[in-house]
């Protein structure tokens, strides 16, 4: 079914020189080969996996992105899209060299249609910038992966985060895209209607494609009315199973909680120290947020408190004022830094298992036992309403044994989730680190992904080596 | 980028004889060439567009579907999937002949995972069969396109219907699929986790692909808890604009109504007569349904009543008992038959515009004026919470002038929606009737759809001639 495709290698010096010459002529000082800029663009925030691009270019509009891709296509030079570099799976590492397209100067909010609850932004707008622009409209964009990522990057990795249990992920909230294809064409997908049955769902195909099928240059998004009322609550439990069981029952009952975050005792200990949270114990803890009318928020909180009490949880502590809620969520967002502080000098990375809710307690508890057996210090945090949790794996980068144990643990976390009917990545993506796990999870479907990659990027220039393994692996069709 | 592809034509008698021989040998009495069976499988419920298949086969499992497709692939004979034949855009018409794969005997509910709110069914299970199976679990499957369609067909056309405003469409509610590809392979997509960033979103690519990329044989679906409380209400208005404006404001406020259906005065008149609704006037009318806790249902209903009153609507009539709600929704579901009864002997078909909510009043009112100018009798009904509405176009099939006016009207409805930033089809699909509208709506993106079709079905045997025009049209790239 597939035409043979040349396997990817670093571009030849001649090809690269040709592209560099064209980029410098067109972009002048916006085509940069300075070493520290290359270094900054060679990695995200995941496991050390830097691989430098040959040049970083800062386009201002779709046409400029298209011109870059056309130059690269003519010379078969790799093109890697870059937002703010917060991705976790090596998505931006230029493992075959090439041109890094930094979209941070494409940061205009193009339209806000308040009456339709939608907007259109350039790919380099960050989620915090968008929400700042929305101030005063009564609307907000809820998807919150923690990092202040760009909306283009969030679309490309199908990001989600703390609010997804109520508002969905980028999959549900992107209405349409503008994409520069592998041959440098500018194509718009989707539309502004809330639903459509008109043709193949190209929008969903590009959401999560990690720059391997084209570069996302504009994103149209659904917005939501700022809820009339919001309150946050914290519940603490004597053991991990009770906390997780509380979540499972809440989800089965359909309580429309906006956020349910788990911090295990190791993570809670770290957060108490790092964020100076007062009056909390280093015990398994759930952070909740409720959105709705005043009556509905009160009703949700009461139901959750009842459920928690039935599972041995203590009385909730509420935070209704904006300031108190912010302090709590800031502590949650800083969980990664709090964890690093547990073991100064260590390196940390995050796993990303997501399982059907009925398996969540088993998966978390087996993982906790697995961690403890490794002797590593690893907190667990999670967007548990979705069945998604992260192990923050800390290790000493100078200790080869620790690193091997850390990587072994991460691999087992992925495989355990897959064996329980879940996924190796709930929200971080595949990048370069999860190619094997992808094959374990999707089997023959990886063959279809490969066919699509080859059809839409026949020269294999779009972020090569990521997302879909082009060479066939065992257990995977075609 | 694309290899040339032979244009499709009817299979040669030799090719067909080879396939027929194989099918009769394997399927015996389940391979049928009886004229009345062929006739029944040659059309859906849309505009008269029957085109008979050469044979109808009734497989029982994925392997049998795969065997049929492999026979067809070897002989380059078209394969058309068929559920219960309720589609509206000619999806099942065998316009190039070939093999109709009737999935109605693949009607087993394979698993219900009540604790995870999901299930897996064979493609031939209808939505009513699934909901009957769910009785006693406390769960239901909300997507309701009116017809008792199969879940495979609903996935293939990205169906939605009355509950979509609250629960989403098939796009949001299919967790995964089993698909028989164009080369007869059996592939599973997606998974049971609520979210995943693992690779390309093949599930969403197949949802809405109308059998043109493969045959859906199993569907995994999200389920929902039966709400603690439900109530239905009917509000009547003196004019169409007031009714539509009420909906627009409700959606902008984010009131989580489960159903909001508009019936214009022509449709309401038809329903009053056909379904013997008592105490209603032939005026623009909204049917609502509210789901939630008792408190939340009461709150939603009160808010909606206030809004309606602000727009000149009358006092709501409530139906809380199951029996009364059923009567109302039955009347809504029978709108099509009620409309046909307005003009005995006429033929009817439905348009399917969907626009951003802010344009809904303009779109509905301009369409009403357009209808009135044609002199045809055409009620308007709509899932207006989504911005989606249907004109039921009635015409005398023996009057060529009426037919031309009917088709002209339908085309203008599509183009008006597209011009307002909407879509030519909110939920019916493209089939054979909306190929031109698809190009008008998606422009160059149709070129990407064509590339995907060619990559996944290089012999063009999967429901050929539907969904994506393979020959390039004006205004569409590639």
């Amino acid at each position: 079914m597939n035409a043979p495709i040349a396997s990817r290698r670093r571009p030849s010096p001649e090809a690269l020189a040709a592209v560099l010459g064209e980029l410098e002529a067109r972009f002048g000082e916006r085509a940069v080969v300075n070493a520290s800029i290359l270094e900054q663009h060679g990695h995200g925030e995941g496991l050390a996996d830097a691989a430098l691009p040959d040049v970083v270019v800062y386009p201002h509009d779709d046409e400029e992105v298209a011109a870059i891709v056309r130059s690269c296509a003519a010379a078969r030079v790799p093109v890697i899209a870059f937002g703010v570099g917060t991705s976790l799976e090596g998505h931006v590492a230029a493992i075959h060299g090439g041109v890094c397209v930094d979209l941070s100067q494409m940061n205009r909010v193009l339209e806000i249609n308040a009456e339709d609850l939608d907007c259109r932004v350039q790919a380099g707008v960050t989620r915090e910038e968008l929400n700042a622009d929305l101030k005063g409209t009564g609307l907000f964009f809820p998807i919150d992966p923690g990092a202040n990522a760009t909306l283009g990057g969030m679309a490309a990795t199908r990001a989600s985060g703390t609010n997804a249990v109520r508002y969905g992920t980028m999959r549900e909230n992107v209405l349409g895209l503008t994409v520069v294809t592998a041959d440098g064409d500018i194509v718009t997908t989707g539309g502004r209607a809330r639903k459509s049955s008109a043709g193949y769902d190209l929008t969903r195909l590009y959401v999560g494609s990690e720059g391997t099928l084209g570069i996302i240059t504009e994103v149209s998004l659904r917005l939501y009315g700022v809820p009339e009322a919001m309150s946050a609550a914290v519940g603490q439990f004597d053991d991990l199973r009770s906390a997780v069981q509380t979540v499972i029952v809440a989800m089965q009952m359909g309580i429309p909680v906006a956020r349910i975050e788990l911090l295990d005792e190791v993570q809670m200990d770290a957060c108490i120290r790092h964020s100076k949270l007062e009056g909390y114990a280093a015990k398994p803890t759930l952070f909740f947020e409720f959105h709705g009318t005043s009556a509905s928020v009160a009703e949700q909180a009461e139901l959750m408190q009842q459920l928690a009490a039935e599972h041995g949880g203590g009385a909730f502590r509420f935070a209704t004022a904006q300031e108190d809620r912010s302090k709590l969520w800031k502590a949650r967002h800083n969980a990664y830094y709090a964890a690093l502080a547990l073991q100064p000098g260590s390196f940390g990375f995050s796993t990303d298992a997501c399982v059907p809710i009925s398996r969540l307690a088993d998966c978390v508890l087996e993982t906790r036992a697995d961690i403890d057996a490794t002797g590593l210090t690893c907190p667990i945090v999670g967007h548990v309403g979705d069945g998604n949790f992260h192990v923050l794996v800390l290790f000493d980068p100078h200790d080869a044994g620790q690193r091997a144990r850390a990587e072994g643990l991460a691999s087992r976390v992925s495989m355990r989730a897959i064996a329980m009917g879940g996924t190796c990545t709930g929200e971080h993506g595949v990048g370069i680190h999860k190619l094997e796990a992808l094959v374990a999870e999707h089997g023959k479907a990886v063959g279809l992904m490969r066919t699509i990659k080859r059809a839409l990027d026949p020269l294999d220039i779009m972020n090569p080596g990521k997302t879909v393994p082009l060479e066939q692996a065992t257990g995977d069709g075609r």
Side-chain angles (χ1 to χ4, degrees), chain A:
Chain A
M1 183 179 272
N2 301 303
I5 190 162
S7 66
R8 167 58 45 205
R9 51 191 173 279
R10 286 193 78 86
S12 69
E14 296 73 26
L16 209 53
V19 169
L20 268 175
E22 285 180 33
L23 294 178
E24 281 168 356
R26 175 156 189 161
F27 292 92
E29 291 183 351
R30 290 189 285 131
V32 181
V33 294
N34 168 301
S36 70
I37 295 291
L38 297 183
E39 197 289 321
Q40 181 202 324
H41 286 78
H43 61 87
E45 295 185 348
L47 250 192
D49 44 31
L52 304 194
D54 294 295
V55 57
V56 178
V57 192
Y58 296 84
H60 287 169
D61 58 33
D62 299 352
E63 275 302 339
E64 289 192 347
V65 175
I68 297 168
V69 173
R70 282 194 298 268
S71 286
C72 290
R76 300 191 65 154
V77 166
V79 197
I80 301 120
F82 188 99
V84 291
T86 53
S87 81
L88 296 171
E89 296 295 350
H91 296 101
V92 299
I95 54 177
H96 301 291
V99 176
C100 173
V101 181
D102 182 316
L103 295 152
S104 61
Q105 296 182 16
M106 287 180 62
N107 61 350
R108 282 182 301 135
V109 174
L110 300 169
E111 17 177 304
I112 294 174
N113 305 300
E115 50 196 353
D116 289 312
L117 296 92
D118 70 39
C119 69
R120 189 164 59 91
V121 302
Q122 285 188 307
V125 173
T126 69
R127 64 177 184 84
E128 289 181 3
E129 286 167 356
L130 173 60
N131 278 317
D133 255 54
L134 290 171
K135 280 241 165 86
T137 63
L139 300 174
F140 79 121
F141 180 68
I143 314 292
D144 173 4
N148 185 24
T150 62
L151 293 158
M154 287 169 62
T157 53
R158 206 181 292 130
S160 48
T162 53
N163 275 314
V165 60
R166 169 81 175 244
Y167 297 95
T169 72
M170 291 301 276
R171 179 175 74 193
E172 286 79 26
N173 287 288
V174 175
L175 289 167
L177 296 168
T178 300
V179 172
V180 172
T181 63
D183 51 3
D185 212 0
I186 299 168
V187 175
T188 301
T189 73
R192 292 185 56 229
R194 276 171 66 107
K195 65 183 194 186
S196 171
S197 290
Y200 303 155
D201 193 343
L202 298 175
T203 302
R204 248 53 55 184
L205 181 62
Y206 278 98
V207 168
S209 66
E210 305 184 352
T212 63
L213 301 179
I215 295 183
I216 295 170
T217 57
E218 288 179 17
V219 189
S220 295
L221 295 165
R222 284 181 78 157
L223 302 173
Y224 295 82
V226 175
E228 177 192 317
M230 290 194 214
S231 80
V234 179
Q236 297 208 291
F237 295 80
D238 287 332
D239 61 275
L240 201 49
R241 179 176 291 278
S242 305
V244 178
Q245 277 301 135
T246 302
V247 175
I248 292 175
V249 177
M251 297 317 296
Q252 289 170 347
M253 289 175 60
I255 305 177
V257 189
R259 290 169 158 165
I260 313 186
E261 297 287 306
L262 171 74
L263 296 82
D264 79 347
E265 61 276 21
V266 183
Q267 182 67 59
M268 196 60 195
D269 181 42
C271 285
I272 289 169
R273 296 186 205 194
H274 184 80
S275 297
K276 312 211 179 348
L277 296 178
E278 284 169 21
Y280 295 98
K283 299 205 294 189
T285 303
L286 295 174
F287 282 23
F288 299 94
E289 193 163 274
F290 308 106
H291 294 179
T293 62
S294 303
S296 141
V297 162
E299 189 177 41
Q300 292 172 50
E302 195 184 308
L303 273 169
M304 273 310 321
Q305 172 70 82
Q306 273 175 27
L307 264 189
E310 284 166 19
H311 290 86
F316 282 1
R317 289 180 54 173
F318 284 93
T320 306
Q322 165 77 38
E323 191 187 349
D324 298 337
R325 280 193 290 116
S326 292
K327 185 171 181 189
L328 268 183
W329 290 112
K330 197 170 169 200
R332 167 62 190 89
H333 277 158
N334 287 334
Y336 174 74
Y337 303 102
L340 285 182
L342 284 176
Q343 197 171 301
S346 64
F347 194 90
F349 69 95
S350 173
T351 67
D352 190 27
C354 186
V355 294
I357 199 80
S358 70
R359 304 308 307 276
L360 183 62
D362 292 342
C363 199
V364 169
L365 292 168
E366 286 183 24
T367 299
R368 184 72 261 168
D370 189 0
I371 296 166
D372 294 344
T374 64
L376 297 169
T377 299
C378 305
I380 294 178
V381 295
H383 316 308
V384 279
D386 292 321
N388 185 204
F389 68 93
H390 309 299
V391 180
L392 300 178
V393 183
L394 302 179
F395 67 96
D396 177 350
H398 305 298
D399 181 334
Q402 275 202 20
R403 180 170 179 140
R405 272 182 287 151
E407 292 186 349
L409 172 66
S411 169
R412 290 192 300 279
V413 170
S414 290
M415 296 306 163
R416 184 177 296 118
I418 293 167
M420 289 185 177
T423 178
C424 64
T425 173
E427 55 183 15
H428 295 169
V430 175
I432 53 178
H433 295 305
K434 294 226 165 111
L435 292 167
E436 280 179 38
L438 180 84
V439 173
E441 182 173 331
H442 283 297
K444 286 204 283 189
V446 176
L448 290 178
M449 295 182 197
R450 193 178 288 136
T451 301
I452 290 168
K453 166 71 175 175
R454 285 169 169 154
L456 294 180
D457 178 25
L459 301 177
D460 191 23
I461 60 168
M462 307 310 295
N463 207 6
K466 317 289 171 63
T467 316
V468 176
L470 279 191
E471 272 77 46
Q472 190 166 325
T474 323
D476 138 36
R478 211 161 285 167

